[in-house]
């Protein structure tokens, strides 16, 4: 496996939509398509991707999922979400999807519902699922090689908010401590803001 990674900032917040490709097998996936437009489409094509194997969702908030249906229609990819987060795709009071986006194409169901410890085959390896509730009840992190896709659970020197529906501060703190206890170092690829590393966060993140 020879992994390459790109980030495309999408939407109004903005959100990091991570694009990963194994250049040996041309397998690929995207993480958190918070918005779909020409910028993301061009980024995928420039990266040599015309079909996705997966669209991984770290959680169901609108700023991570508004581009899902359009990305899926054009590039395929099985949508992956934690089982306890499934309702977020159809329930706007959970996803916080604004009524202004009513006309946007939507996907109400994930193709693959995962739980803690599940793995997804990818190229000649596997993507590991860690259930890290707290920001939302079904927030997950995905691990592949030295990459940790953290969604809104862990940010550079900060953590996700817990005041939104199904958020829980005690759970979030135990989730980020669980990440800190992972063996070795990882590139931390969050849902917003700059990339960091687990070793940096162990030293400088007050919540860890
Ligand atoms: Zn969120
Ligand atoms: Zn977010």
């Amino acid at each position: 496996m020879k992994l390459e990674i790109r980030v495309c900032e999408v939407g109004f917040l903005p959100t990091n939509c991570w694009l990963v490709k194994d250049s040996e097998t041309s397998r690929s996936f995207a993480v958190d398509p918070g918005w779909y437009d020409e910028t993301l489409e061009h980024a995928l094509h420039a990266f040599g991707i015309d079909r996705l194997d997966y669209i991984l969702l770290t959680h169901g908030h609108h700023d991570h999922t508004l581009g899902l249906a359009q990305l899926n229609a054009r590039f395929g990819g099985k949508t992956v979400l934690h089982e306890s987060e499934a309702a977020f795709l159809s329930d706007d009071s959970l996803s916080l999807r604004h009524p202004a986006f009513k006309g946007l194409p939507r996907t109400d169901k994930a193709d693959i519902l995962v739980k803690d410890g599940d793995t997804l085959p990818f190229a000649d390896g596997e993507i590991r699922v860690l259930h890290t509730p707290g920001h939302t009840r079904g927030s997950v992190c995905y691990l592949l090689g030295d990459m940790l896709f953290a969604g809104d659970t862990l940010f550079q020197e900060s953590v996700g908010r817990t005041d939104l529906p199904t958020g829980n501060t005690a759970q979030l703190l135990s989730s980020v401590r669980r990440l800190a206890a992972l063996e070795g170092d990882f590139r931390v690829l969050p849902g917003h803001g700059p990339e960091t590393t687990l070793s940096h966060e162990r030293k400088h993140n007050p919540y860890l």
Side-chain angles (χ1 to χ4, degrees):
M1 206 158 32
K2 194 158 177 274
L3 297 172
E4 292 181 62
I5 182 162
R6 300 271 191 283
V7 66
C8 187
E9 289 193 339
V10 298
F12 35 90
L13 281 175
T15 303
N16 294 325
C17 179
W18 299 99
L19 309 174
V20 176
K21 184 177 82 170
D22 171 36
S23 51
E24 284 173 356
T25 59
S26 291
R27 299 282 169 181
S28 64
F29 63 86
V31 184
D32 289 348
W35 190 250
Y36 187 87
D37 59 13
E38 281 186 354
T39 310
L40 180 57
E41 188 174 325
H42 289 159
L44 281 151
H45 285 143
F47 195 20
I49 295 175
D50 20 67
R51 291 306 287 173
L52 290 164
D53 291 282
Y54 299 111
I55 302 174
L56 305 179
L57 304 175
T58 59
H59 62 296
H61 278 153
H62 68 124
D63 58 312
H64 297 249
T65 59
L66 277 172
L68 173 61
Q70 290 171 88
L71 176 65
N72 188 239
R74 285 167 184 74
F75 289 87
K78 289 204 169 4
T79 303
V80 182
L81 183 67
H82 190 266
E83 57 185 9
S84 69
E85 197 86 345
F88 278 61
L89 292 183
S90 55
D91 187 338
D92 295 353
S93 70
L94 292 173
S95 72
L96 311 175
R97 186 186 174 111
H98 194 272
F101 300 123
K102 220 176 163 199
L104 213 61
R106 64 189 297 158
T107 303
D108 280 349
K109 268 196 189 144
D111 299 304
I112 304 175
L113 293 174
V114 290
K115 55 185 188 316
D116 189 59
D118 281 359
T119 56
L120 302 159
F122 178 74
D124 59 0
E126 54 189 26
I127 301 163
R128 193 149 58 99
V129 179
L130 283 188
H131 183 208
T132 50
H135 175 63
T136 61
R137 66 187 175 200
S139 284
V140 296
C141 294
Y142 296 101
L143 296 168
L144 176 67
D146 69 344
M147 300 183 292
L148 190 168
F149 298 95
D152 289 359
T153 296
L154 179 62
F155 298 120
Q156 185 190 61
E157 297 179 23
S158 184
V159 295
R161 55 193 284 191
T162 54
D163 58 328
L164 301 171
T166 81
N168 181 306
T169 304
Q171 281 184 345
L172 182 87
L173 291 174
S174 105
S175 289
V176 294
R177 284 176 196 142
R178 189 179 169 207
L179 294 178
L182 287 171
E183 218 163 286
D185 198 13
F186 286 87
R187 292 171 69 177
V188 175
L189 308 158
H192 307 279
E195 172 180 343
T196 178
T197 64
L198 205 49
S199 57
H200 179 92
E201 297 312 307
R202 285 181 188 122
K203 249 185 251 151
H204 301 288
N205 190 318
Y207 299 94
L208 265 60

